[in-house]
């Protein structure tokens, strides 16, 4: 996680989060996530593929283009210049990006890479990548 950033949480009761039946998941998250390694297979388990669902909800910006980042799974870019507002259709709208057939030998590596080109954007809570949920399905 980028320095100075991390978990944020707010009550979903004061904000109407659209496009979800589980608003509490999308009212909190992790800001500034650079990478996350999720152990999914034990030593000796056979490699397999997974469906990975990443949940996002923009809490700050109304307009697209303010918070963009690449999403990488297992080191491969699976979404380039991802913009939560653009994908979801606005602020406080839940969006789940689904990626199928992600190969995993042991751990799932998730990386969010800022695209602004400004190093300060990586540690600014209004522009740093953020994520609200991770779901891994065999």
């Amino acid at each position: 996680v980028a320095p100075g950033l991390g978990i944020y949480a707010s009550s979903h009761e004061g904000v109407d989060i659209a496009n979800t039946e589980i608003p509490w998941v999308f009212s909190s998250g992790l800001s500034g996530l650079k990478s996350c390694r999720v152990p999914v297979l034990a030593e000796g388990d056979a490699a397999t593929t997974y469906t990975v669902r990443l949940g996002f909800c923009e809490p700050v910006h109304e307009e697209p283009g303010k918070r963009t980042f690449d999403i990488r799974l297992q080191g491969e870019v699976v979404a380039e210049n991802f913009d939560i507002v653009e994908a979801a259709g606005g602020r406080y709208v839940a969006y789940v990006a689904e990626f199928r057939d992600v190969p995993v030998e042991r751990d799932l590596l998730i990386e969010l890479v800022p695209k602004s080109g400004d190093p300060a954007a990586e540690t600014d809570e209004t522009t740093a990548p953020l994520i609200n949920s991770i779901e891994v399905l065999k």
Side-chain angles (χ1 to χ4, degrees), residues 49-108:
T49 59
Y50 287 83
T51 295
V52 178
R53 295 180 184 153
L54 305 178
F56 302 94
C57 186
E58 175 59 55
V60 177
H61 303 292
E62 303 276 348
E63 301 291 325
K66 305 292 185 185
R67 184 189 313 267
T68 60
F69 51 94
D70 287 351
I71 301 171
R72 291 195 293 205
L73 298 176
Q74 305 301 72
E76 299 291 325
V77 175
V78 294
E80 191 170 8
N81 295 315
F82 181 74
D83 185 316
I84 300 169
V85 172
E86 183 176 57
R91 180 180 178 201
Y92 294 127
V93 179
Y95 179 80
V96 176
E98 182 174 283
F99 307 98
R100 295 178 178 266
D101 300 320
V102 178
V104 177
E105 292 181 16
R106 180 130 186 213
D107 296 342
L108 170 67

Side-chain angles (χ1 to χ4, degrees), residues 2 6 11 25 39 41 72 74 77 90 93 112-115 121-122 138:
S11 172
V25 170
L41 293 171
R72 291 195 293 205
Q74 305 301 72
V77 175
V93 179
L112 305 181
V113 183
K115 295 300 283 189
E122 187 176 311
K138 192 169 187 180

